[in-house]
Amino acid sequence: MAKTPSFFSAQLAAIFGAGAASAILFSLIGKGTALAISLAYLSPLPLMIAMIGFGLAAGLGAGALACLGVGLVTVLQSGDLLNAGASALTFATALATPSLWLAFLALRDVGPGPSTPSSPPATASAPAFEKIMSSVVVCSAAVAVGAGAFVAARHGGFEAALARAVAILQPTLESAVGEAQLPDGVDLGRVARAIALAAPPAIAASTLLMLLVNLWLAARVAQKSAQMRRRWPDVPSGLRLPRICAPILAGALATAFLGGPVGVIAATIAAALVMGFALQGLAAIHYLTRGHKHRPLALGLLYLALFALAPPWLLIPCAALGVADSLFGLRARKKAAPARRPG
């Protein structure tokens, strides 16, 4: 079907609207408040909507405009052109590029057939989901490792950067503790060092979650507005990492104990994989509990515990379930079970 002038007008509106919205949301992070940071986490969403709903040209145009917008906002706030260029480059590499790549994969590979708000979920092929999940793991780990490498280079090396981080964190911890008596053996200097070392893995895990949540939201928005040209896939049955990721996770966890820059990089890769497998485990729980009468209550309690009661510790058993599903095909066994029943 030929594209009409109205479609091109919609594309143009998507480029400017999504680009401006993404730049504004990202720039809110400078305010430092919880609300501003939460809104900044949605900065990939407009770009993904533009890509999934209006095509490759709209997505790339919105991304380019958003990068320019971030630089412009930084200039208006600080008057520093060098800082503006650094902000635009950070946005382009850490958010815009991964967001647009994942949205492009969703646009190209997931869910055959047109999508409407009433369309039934499509069963996406395993390779399509595996490509998206492996890509988001690579992007998230790369963002975190790149951020750590930049900080280390800026402060004269890994140990110098770590010492600088400890020097900033330790007084904050001491102020928070105040006159309270610490347990024997607790050294706030070591606690500050552990927090600094945990920063890259935490960035990797949170970036992966941020990108996938925004991708899901973008696809749902595009579907509800009848702009998604492919049917929305059935996430509980399809979301998975490639099987090779399980031994990679084991290797990364073992290497993390080496310490130093190599250990931090390995821990960062492991954190991204753990978060990915945790999401696979949650998808498996959704799928395996289908048909059970107490499913809504069980899922509600699970998410309450995840978000309110014990974050992030419940992610570990979810990740273990995700690894088991990857190695032993737990969902595939349930899918095949009815076919094996006699009669």
Side-chain angles (χ1 to χ4, degrees):
M1 181 182 294
K3 295 180 178 179
T4 63
S6 61
F7 177 81
F8 288 108
S9 299
Q11 272 192 321
L12 192 61
I15 290 172
F16 283 96
S22 184
I24 292 171
L25 287 170
F26 179 77
S27 299
L28 290 174
I29 200 169
K31 295 188 176 297
T33 65
L35 178 60
I37 293 173
S38 299
L39 291 173
Y41 265 61
L42 294 175
S43 57
L45 181 59
L47 303 183
M48 290 178 167
I49 292 174
M51 175 72 81
I52 294 173
F54 297 92
L56 179 62
L60 294 178
L65 187 63
C67 294
L68 292 175
V70 168
L72 178 60
V73 171
T74 306
V75 166
L76 294 176
Q77 290 177 342
S78 66
D80 187 342
L81 287 175
L82 186 60
N83 189 27
S87 296
L89 181 61
T90 299
F91 176 81
T93 55
L95 280 177
T97 300
S99 301
L100 291 172
W101 173 244
L102 293 174
F104 173 72
L105 291 179
L107 177 69
R108 187 187 66 178
D109 293 333
V110 173
S115 175
T116 66
S118 59
S119 296
T123 301
S125 63
F129 261 121
E130 289 177 1
K131 189 179 296 184
I132 290 174
M133 291 297 292
S134 57
S135 293
V136 76
V137 166
V138 171
C139 290
S140 302
V143 166
V145 170
F150 173 78
V151 172
R154 186 176 181 182
H155 291 90
F158 175 78
E159 288 297 336
L162 187 57
R164 174 64 177 164
V166 171
I168 294 172
L169 288 169
Q170 188 168 349
T172 304
L173 293 175
E174 291 172 349
S175 176
V177 171
E179 300 298 326
Q181 185 68 33
L182 293 173
D184 292 339
V186 174
D187 182 353
L188 289 182
R190 291 182 178 178
V191 173
R193 182 181 176 89
I195 293 174
L197 289 172
I203 291 172
S206 62
T207 299
L208 184 143
L209 184 61
M210 175 191 67
L211 289 171
L212 285 179
V213 168
N214 277 284
L215 182 63
W216 181 83
L217 288 172
R220 298 299 283 177
V221 168
Q223 182 195 30
K224 292 296 183 182
S225 61
Q227 290 294 331
M228 191 172 183
R229 288 173 286 171
R230 292 177 177 269
R231 290 168 59 197
W232 178 244
D234 183 43
V235 175
S237 68
L239 189 145
R240 70 190 70 229
L241 282 162
R243 186 171 294 183
I244 188 64
C245 288
I248 291 175
L249 173 59
L253 288 173
T255 307
F257 288 98
L258 295 176
V262 173
V264 173
I265 292 173
T268 301
I269 295 170
L273 286 169
V274 166
M275 181 59 77
F277 275 119
L279 294 176
Q280 180 171 339
L282 288 172
I285 291 171
H286 275 263
Y287 185 80
L288 295 173
T289 56
R290 282 178 173 172
H292 291 271
K293 62 179 181 179
H294 298 301
R295 180 175 186 262
L297 176 61
L299 292 177
L301 291 175
L302 172 62
Y303 282 102
L304 176 64
L306 281 171
F307 292 111
L309 300 181
W313 308 115
L314 279 180
L315 289 175
I316 304 301
C318 288
L321 178 61
V323 171
D325 178 66
S326 180
L327 293 177
F328 305 114
L330 302 181
R331 286 174 289 179
R333 290 169 182 250
K334 180 176 180 178
K335 291 176 187 177
R340 293 196 299 265
R341 291 172 186 168

